[in-house]
């Protein structure tokens, strides 16, 4: 993919340095200063896009950017400034998430039951217009076109039953050996059906900060061994909160006249995630915590982040639409 358009001084410096093949001391200092000055780090366009660009070096990289920069020490120092601020902001957002002595799957269920964030799926089922659907898919494409990849980084950090459970879930996410059944590919098909460019990273320039905030959180959890339990808690929460909303999203598309070929992404999640929910909560998170009780707090923190960031994205979309505005930064690029 090509490098996204800069959104401020930091992403401008980062783009220039990446294309030059060297991360400058000035860019590292700018990252430190940007992180320190950010009033709302999780909604900061420049900060979140910069972090997403740093992480993307671990996924598919960028046209014209040397792959060797992935492990460049200055790049990692720059990223660490952003990560520290991002993590502190996540803590502020979720509040404390202390574990109790109850089985962790029950604690996850209770956490989800207590969530009172806005329901985007209910809105999309009943009211979402074709244009709002395109905006929603544009925002979500930042994640779904790499669906499962961020959590997958956690697999080598696990062992035993927790690892086996995670692999079982991820194998389904990756289509069980069939490229066209990969969830990322099902999502891409749905984008194309709605007239959007489904190229990997093609709509980054239109996506608002909250789209990157969600994926950056998963990347941070997946790429740091220290946050492996949060990665699992996050994944478990995604699985546990997917089945019913997916049914609603599917019905929203059918209300607009779309058929099974388009709704298959959601229909697949209605079925698969009803199964994944148990595997994720009981086998994956339960086994991890049974091995090491001290990880329970992080499991819950990861889950709480998932809920809170879903709420942030839903609030962003619904707030913009209520005000009669687009929720995107620019018009989504329509497929040619
Ligand atoms: Fe999926
Ligand atoms: Fe799933």
């Amino acid at each position: 993919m090509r490098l996204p358009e800069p959104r401020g001084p930091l992403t401008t410096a980062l783009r220039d340095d990446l294309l030059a093949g060297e991360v400058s001391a000035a860019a590292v200092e700018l990252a430190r200063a940007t992180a320190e000055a950010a009033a709302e780090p999780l909604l900061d366009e420049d900060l979140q896009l910069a972090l997403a660009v740093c992480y993307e070096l671990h996924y598919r990289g960028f046209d014209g950017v040397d792959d060797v920069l992935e492990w460049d020490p200055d790049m990692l120092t720059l990223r660490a400034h952003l990560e520290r601020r991002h993590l502190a902001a996540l803590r502020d957002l979720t509040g404390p998430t202390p574990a109790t002595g109850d089985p962790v799957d029950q604690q996850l269920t209770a956490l989800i039951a207590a969530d009172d964030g806005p329901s985007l799926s209910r809105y999309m089922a009943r009211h979402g217009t074709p244009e709002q659907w395109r905006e929603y898919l544009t925002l979500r494409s930042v994640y779904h076109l790499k669906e499962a990849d961020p959590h997958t980084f956690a697999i080598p950090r696990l062992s035993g039953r927790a690892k086996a459970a995670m692999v079982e879930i991820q194998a389904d996410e990756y289509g069980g050996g069939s490229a066209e059944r990969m969830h990322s590919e099902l999502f891409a098909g749905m984008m194309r059906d709605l007239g959007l460019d489904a190229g990997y990273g093609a709509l980054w320039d239109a996506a608002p900060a909250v789209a990157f905030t969600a994926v950056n959180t998963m990347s941070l959890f997946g790429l740091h061994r220290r946050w492996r339990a949060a990665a699992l808690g996050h994944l478990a929460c995604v699985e546990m909160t997917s089945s019913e909303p997916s049914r609603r999203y599917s019905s929203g598309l059918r209300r607009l006249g779309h058929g099974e070929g388009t709704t298959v992404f959601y229909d697949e999640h209605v079925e698969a995630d009803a199964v994944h929910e148990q595997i994720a909560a009981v086998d994956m998170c339960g086994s991890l915590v049974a091995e090491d009780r001290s990880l329970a707090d992080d499991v819950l923190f990861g889950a709480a982040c998932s809920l809170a960031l879903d709420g942030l994205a839903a609030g962003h979309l619904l707030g913009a639409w209520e005000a009669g505005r687009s929720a995107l930064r620019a018009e989504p690029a329509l497929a040619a």
Side-chain angles (χ1 to χ4, degrees):
M1 65 178 283
R2 56 172 187 76
L3 274 165
E5 288 299 321
R7 298 185 183 184
L10 178 58
T11 40
T12 303
L14 190 54
R15 177 201 55 186
D16 294 348
D17 282 7
L18 288 174
L19 292 173
E22 193 176 359
V23 178
S24 62
V28 175
E29 170 53 25
L30 192 54
R32 192 199 59 74
T34 302
E36 194 179 283
E40 288 187 295
L42 301 178
L43 298 174
D44 190 300
E45 298 283 348
D46 201 25
L47 190 158
Q48 290 300 330
L49 183 64
L51 191 50
V53 167
C54 292
Y55 286 137
E56 194 56 33
L57 299 175
H58 295 291
Y59 295 100
R60 313 258 183 116
F62 296 102
D63 303 340
V65 174
D66 194 335
D67 286 339
V68 81
L69 287 171
E70 179 184 2
W71 296 109
D72 179 85
D74 296 322
M75 165 55 68
L76 299 182
T77 305
L78 185 156
R79 196 184 81 188
H81 287 306
L82 306 179
E83 287 177 321
R84 265 193 294 277
R85 191 72 186 91
H86 184 89
L87 266 169
L90 287 175
R91 276 283 181 216
D92 289 345
L93 183 68
T94 64
T97 52
T100 66
D102 293 336
V104 75
D105 62 298
Q106 288 176 21
Q107 294 187 66
L108 286 166
T109 303
L111 188 74
I112 291 165
D115 180 52
D116 55 3
S119 173
L120 192 64
S121 61
R122 284 203 166 80
Y123 179 88
M124 296 308 280
R126 292 186 203 141
H127 312 292
T129 65
E131 194 45 44
Q132 289 170 342
W133 267 98
R134 277 190 283 277
E135 293 197 3
Y136 171 63
L137 296 190
T138 297
L139 188 152
R140 294 295 299 181
S141 72
V142 175
Y143 172 59
H144 287 294
L145 293 179
K146 61 159 69 73
E147 185 171 333
D149 290 344
H151 299 106
T152 298
F153 281 126
I155 292 175
R157 308 172 191 284
L158 306 174
S159 64
R161 282 183 64 206
K163 185 177 203 159
M166 190 170 197
V167 170
E168 184 177 354
I169 293 168
Q170 298 303 83
D172 283 346
E173 305 295 334
Y174 289 124
S178 156
E180 60 270 22
R181 298 295 296 181
M182 279 192 202
H183 292 183
S184 55
E185 188 45 45
L186 298 180
F187 192 85
M190 177 166 61
M191 289 179 76
R192 286 189 288 266
D193 288 352
L194 271 79
L196 293 168
D197 184 343
Y200 185 87
L203 302 185
W204 273 34
D205 287 339
V210 283
F212 297 98
T213 309
V215 188
N216 287 339
T217 301
M218 298 178 221
S219 298
L220 192 158
F221 291 161
L223 285 165
H224 290 265
R225 184 182 138 70
R226 186 258 171 270
W227 291 108
R228 64 196 181 284
L232 269 59
H234 187 286
L235 175 59
C237 185
V238 169
E239 301 296 341
M240 295 168 81
T241 56
S242 160
S243 193
E244 267 312 303
S246 291
R247 195 188 304 280
R248 290 195 279 269
Y249 284 119
S250 183
S251 79
L253 284 173
R254 276 185 273 109
R255 175 175 56 78
L256 294 176
H258 292 285
E260 267 176 32
T262 304
T263 62
V264 58
F265 171 81
Y266 291 117
D267 300 337
E268 175 73 21
H269 282 90
V270 173
E271 299 298 322
D273 289 343
V275 180
H276 288 172
E277 177 173 344
Q278 285 298 309
I279 302 172
V282 179
D283 300 327
M284 186 177 74
C285 293
S287 305
L288 183 80
V289 171
E291 261 176 53
D292 183 348
R293 293 219 66 82
S294 73
L295 293 175
D297 286 357
D298 285 352
V299 169
L300 294 174
F301 174 56
C305 287
S306 173
L307 291 172
L309 294 176
D310 273 357
L312 210 60
H316 174 86
L317 287 161
L318 295 172
W321 295 340
E322 215 162 280
R325 289 186 273 110
S326 163
L328 302 181
R329 301 191 72 249
E331 287 298 300
L334 293 176

